Amino acid sequence: MGGILSASYAVMQFGCSPTLGNLSDRFGRRPILLVSMAVLALDYVIMAVAGSIWLLLVGRVVAGAAAATHSTALAYMADITDGSKRAQNFGLISAGFGMGFIFGPALGGWLGGLDPRAPFVAAACLAALNFAFGFFVLPESLPKGRRRAFDWGRANPAGALRAVGRLPGVRALLAVMLAYQIANFTYPAIWAYYIQGAFGWDARMVGLSLAAYGVAIAVVQAGLIRAILPRLGETRAVVWGLILNTVCLVLYGFATQGWMIWVLIPISAVGAIVAPAMQGVMSRAAGPDAQGELQGVLSSISALSMILSPLIMTQAFFWFTRPEGAIILPGAPFLIAAVLMAGAFVLYVSTRATPTPVTAAE
């Protein structure tokens, strides 16, 4: 049931991200973000009082749909940011998510020790506060003159992919992003199993290592990326980031001592530069009235990766850690991820996907 609850959330994010992205292109970013926060606040209250697993499942389905606003947040950032600095500011949003993944489980675990329903009450309060902050502080970023009509044919994953895929050079970049995301989601998918199976660490050490990785990612995306991107440029940042990720995944796959993990964590975190750099490249290829649609597609790819990666990587871990197996290799999922990451690198370099910005005059 835990797997079903997680998968239902990811499936709803996959299906709803393009819809919310297109709605934000039509009605503006602010109303979509505010409605999302209001629905989340109410939904967490429902989950806090749920009396059955099925009502909890309904709550997760609604939460997945309402929380599919990553695309809207990124589109908001694209609206207010010059094209040359978008990738850096996309990194800020990613850093915000990264910090949430550090403090959220920590706060939820502490509150869950007091009462199993307490984390949901806290989440409802946070969502309500976020709604209030947005209502009183957040201005609209998309002028009415840059909005476009809503089209159901484009407001779904398949239609949005077709529409965005027609942009110059973007189709290959979408394939690169999918391979990168599936490989990158190996970390949350099997980290706890891998650390315990390979090095015998207890739950405390697993939590510390996850927190260290989350902090390192946040530091890279909130700060270091602003020093790296202006010097390398988005295209070279993607190339070197994919190379670094591939090497680190191989090293994780063959690591034999626990101290190697602590060395690899800050190095592999630098590879997080790939996602915002890729988003910057593709954002410049889309017009100002299609930022929500593009970011919706990227969010759907991310959600699809959250569905596929755990299925692939946990199975690989199972088969390569069975006592009766011919080969015992807990790091096998990381090696599979390295192959995917290398494939993303080859595809990116071979297509030389560097679409140029399209101006209004052009």
Side-chain angles (χ1 to χ4, degrees):
M1 288 306 299
I4 292 173
L5 290 172
S6 298
S8 64
Y9 186 90
V11 167
M12 292 306 295
Q13 291 233 312
F14 170 72
C16 295
S17 288
T19 305
L20 295 186
N22 275 269
L23 283 171
S24 76
D25 284 339
R26 170 63 182 87
F27 298 105
R29 319 300 184 200
R30 187 174 184 270
I32 302 303
L33 292 170
L34 290 179
V35 169
S36 169
M37 287 300 103
V39 172
L40 277 175
L42 178 61
D43 187 58
Y44 278 121
V45 171
I46 293 173
M47 286 192 280
V49 301
S52 71
I53 192 71
W54 302 111
L55 185 55
L56 193 62
L57 176 60
V58 171
R60 290 301 288 166
V61 168
V62 174
T69 49
H70 192 189
S71 58
T72 309
L74 290 169
Y76 190 107
M77 189 65 79
D79 294 339
I80 64 173
T81 307
D82 177 74
S84 63
K85 296 186 180 297
R86 280 179 184 167
Q88 300 176 40
N89 289 335
F90 287 155
L92 283 177
I93 293 181
S94 297
F97 273 84
M99 295 304 290
F101 282 122
I102 298 168
F103 295 115
L107 179 62
W110 177 70
L111 290 172
L114 303 176
D115 185 286
R117 299 176 187 273
F120 295 101
V121 176
C125 293
L126 287 171
L129 286 172
N130 208 14
F131 171 83
F133 178 80
F135 185 83
F136 291 108
V137 175
L138 188 73
E140 179 55 63
S141 66
L142 185 65
K144 291 186 177 180
R146 286 167 51 187
R147 300 179 189 181
R148 61 183 176 84
F150 181 79
D151 181 4
W152 277 111
R154 300 165 66 131
N156 61 82
L161 274 171
R162 284 195 299 270
V164 171
R166 287 193 288 268
L167 295 172
V170 169
R171 185 176 300 177
L173 288 176
L174 292 175
V176 172
M177 184 64 95
L178 179 61
Y180 165 77
Q181 292 279 28
I182 292 175
N184 201 48
F185 273 117
T186 302
Y187 291 99
I190 60 103
W191 184 269
Y193 308 120
Y194 164 72
I195 289 297
Q196 295 178 77
F199 310 111
W201 289 4
D202 59 17
R204 175 178 166 274
M205 291 297 292
V206 171
L208 284 174
S209 61
L210 277 171
Y213 186 76
V215 170
I217 291 287
V219 168
V220 169
Q221 294 184 325
L224 193 57
I225 192 174
R226 295 177 172 274
I228 296 175
L229 275 176
R231 289 171 172 77
L232 287 182
E234 291 167 354
T235 297
R236 284 197 294 172
V238 172
V239 170
W240 286 108
L242 289 172
I243 292 173
L244 177 63
N245 279 316
T246 302
V247 172
C248 286
L249 286 167
V250 171
L251 293 175
Y252 276 117
F254 289 116
T256 57
Q257 301 292 327
W259 63 265
M260 297 178 181
I261 301 302
W262 295 111
V263 172
L264 282 171
I265 283 175
I267 299 174
S268 59
V270 178
I273 195 175
V274 171
M278 286 277 291
Q279 288 167 339
V281 171
M282 286 186 276
S283 178
R284 288 189 289 107
D289 64 344
Q291 291 297 320
E293 181 175 50
L294 171 63
Q295 300 303 335
V297 169
L298 294 178
S299 293
S300 282
I301 287 177
S302 178
L304 181 61
S305 303
M306 291 172 64
I307 299 169
L308 295 177
S309 190
L311 294 176
I312 296 169
M313 301 310 174
T314 53
Q315 286 297 309
F317 182 84
F318 168 75
W319 286 103
F320 280 93
T321 55
R322 294 182 307 155
E324 67 274 19
I327 300 176
I328 304 298
L329 185 60
F334 287 106
L335 299 181
I336 295 172
V339 173
L340 285 169
M341 196 71 73
F345 166 77
V346 171
L347 179 60
Y348 186 82
V349 172
S350 63
T351 56
R352 297 181 181 179
T354 54
T356 54
V358 179
T359 65
E362 289 170 331

